[in-house]
Amino acid sequence: AQKITQTQPGMFVQEKEAVTLDCTYDTSDPSYGLFWYKQPSSGEMIFLIYQGSYDQQNATEGRYSLNFQKARKSANLVISASQLGDSAMYFCAMRDGEYGNKLVFGAGTILRVKS
Amino acid sequence: EAGVAQSPRYKIIEKRQSVAFWCNPISGHATLYWYQQILGQGPKLLIQFQNNGVVDDSQLPKDRFSAERLKGVDSTLKIQPAKLEDSAVYLCASRLPRANEQFFGPGTRLTVL
């Protein structure tokens, strides 16, 4: 069965610094996808970044990058140059298989950016 | 492009009452999901539709929850009768065929008293 573990309930980071949010996963499927979503206090889930299990390079999207270590089954999110607007809950999620299957989410990490 | 629409945004009911939530996905998105997010937890899938057919409802409490997606577009999720533990945010998401990203709506926050 799929499982996502986010061990950091909460994190603080100083504005303009980088921060890493941890995510480990467990699956028996050789083909899977890993996602990070941001959930501000308003409640909507905002897609940040995606990494496929067969992707050779780590995914990057602007200030977001995914540190994918397949052997360790980890998919940490790195946010560079933190901004006050980055304060939110962050969820790591995965899906098994090629397209279309459900997402299984971790418990989330709440990030607070300090000015 | 309009996003996923959900209504109502907030709902307060008493236990044993019924409630229904509505979702309109992004145009052209054949796959639609309903998730339940209890406070302090990540979302959990309740049901997945492909067009108007159910793909996965293994975690839907079928004794009290039901969902439909008539005509393969809008969807309705119903709870009857509601329990205290149903208090949560109900998120609807949709996705294009063979795409990775799921787009989420703003959610409906349900409080059962």
Side-chain angles (χ1 to χ4, degrees), chain A residues 45-78:
Chain A
M45 297 285 282
I46 302 168
F47 168 77
L48 296 178
I49 197 166
Y50 168 79
Q51 179 87 40
S53 58
Y54 293 121
D55 293 343
Q56 295 297 312
Q57 293 189 332
N58 287 345
T60 60
E61 290 284 351
R63 294 186 299 110
Y64 304 108
S65 61
L66 201 151
N67 184 2
F68 182 45
Q69 297 189 44
K70 200 169 183 177
R72 295 185 177 184
K73 293 191 173 181
S74 73
N76 299 338
L77 177 70
V78 180

Side-chain angles (χ1 to χ4, degrees), chain B residues 40-106:
Chain B
Q41 300 180 17
K44 181 187 79 173
L45 180 76
L46 292 175
I47 189 167
Q48 175 185 346
F49 290 95
Q50 181 72 22
N51 295 308
N52 60 350
V54 175
V55 174
D56 185 348
D57 63 356
S58 57
Q59 297 190 87
L60 186 74
K62 299 180 185 64
D63 57 334
R64 298 184 300 106
F65 286 65
S66 64
E68 60 182 12
R69 191 182 183 198
L70 300 176
K71 300 181 182 179
V73 181
D74 293 5
S75 178
T76 304
L77 177 70
K78 297 179 181 177
I79 308 175
Q80 181 179 6
K83 293 185 176 181
L84 297 177
E85 59 260 36
D86 298 332
S87 293
V89 175
Y90 291 84
L91 294 163
C92 179
S94 68
R95 184 180 58 82
L96 280 169
R98 301 186 67 77
N100 291 312
E101 181 183 352
Q102 292 184 22
F103 292 86
F104 284 80

Side-chain angles (χ1 to χ4, degrees), chain A residues 63-110:
Chain A
R63 294 186 299 110
Y64 304 108
S65 61
L66 201 151
N67 184 2
F68 182 45
Q69 297 189 44
K70 200 169 183 177
R72 295 185 177 184
K73 293 191 173 181
S74 73
N76 299 338
L77 177 70
V78 180
I79 304 174
S80 62
S82 296
Q83 302 172 356
L84 295 177
D86 294 334
S87 293
M89 181 71 86
Y90 289 80
F91 290 99
C92 180
M94 76 176 296
R95 61 152 172 76
D96 277 342
E98 206 58 24
Y99 304 98
N101 292 337
K102 67 183 180 185
L103 293 180
V104 174
F105 287 83
T109 296
I110 186 160

